[in-house]
């Protein structure tokens, strides 16, 4: 849920110039984004440090196993397969919600 909400906040609605997070911070100065609690909260900094997504010429995509394993090796983190799978799933949810949040329905 955390990664989905973060992806939605980072998306830019159609016909808008600011992301939802930028707009929220402009309209509610001093308040922080309200993100749901992550059950594996200790993995959130790893998810963000790993990059959340990979940028391509056609937009963003979820982190691949190659991306995650390269990050683990470069940072010398000792993560279990479950932790790596969770970071991958968080990335997939982030990207899906990022794109879903960029589509305006009802037009």
């Amino acid at each position: 849920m955390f990664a989905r909400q973060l992806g939605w906040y980072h998306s830019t609605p159609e016909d808008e110039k600011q992301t939802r997070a930028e707009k929220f911070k402009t309209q509610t100065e001093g308040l922080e984004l309200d993100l749901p609690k992550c059950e594996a909260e200790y993995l959130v900094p790893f998810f963000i440090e790993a990059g959340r997504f990979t940028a391509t010429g056609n937009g963003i995509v979820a982190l691949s196993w190659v991306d995650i394993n390269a990050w683990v090796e470069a940072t010398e983190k000792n993560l279990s397969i479950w932790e790596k799978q969770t970071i991958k799933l968080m990335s997939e949810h982030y990207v899906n919600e990022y794109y879903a949040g960029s589509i305006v329905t009802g037009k």
Side-chain angles (χ1 to χ4, degrees):
M1 188 74 158
F2 169 85
R4 285 183 178 160
Q5 188 71 33
L6 188 62
W8 184 81
Y9 272 131
H10 288 168
S11 66
T12 304
E14 196 173 307
D15 300 327
E16 295 280 335
K17 294 187 189 303
Q18 293 181 308
T19 66
R20 286 182 168 84
E22 292 167 340
K23 192 172 184 179
F24 177 82
K25 286 182 178 182
T26 301
Q27 294 174 349
T28 56
E29 194 172 319
L31 293 178
E32 293 294 318
L33 296 178
D34 187 24
L35 293 167
K37 188 159 177 72
C38 181
E39 290 189 31
E41 192 169 340
Y42 74 98
L43 289 178
V44 171
F46 295 161
F47 165 63
I48 292 170
E49 185 181 329
R52 296 186 319 252
F53 57 84
T54 299
T56 70
N58 292 323
I60 65 171
V61 296
L63 295 171
S64 69
W65 285 113
V66 172
D67 296 325
I68 293 169
N69 286 323
W71 171 77
V72 167
E73 185 177 328
T75 59
E76 299 181 348
K77 303 279 191 233
N78 186 17
L79 300 181
S80 70
I81 187 63
W82 174 87
E83 292 166 318
K84 292 178 198 177
Q85 288 171 330
T86 301
I87 290 170
K88 181 151 179 42
L89 188 60
M90 289 172 77
S91 179
E92 290 169 0
H93 287 309
Y94 176 92
V95 170
N96 288 340
E97 203 58 40
Y98 176 86
Y99 283 119
S102 298
I103 298 170
V104 176
T105 58
K107 281 192 170 183

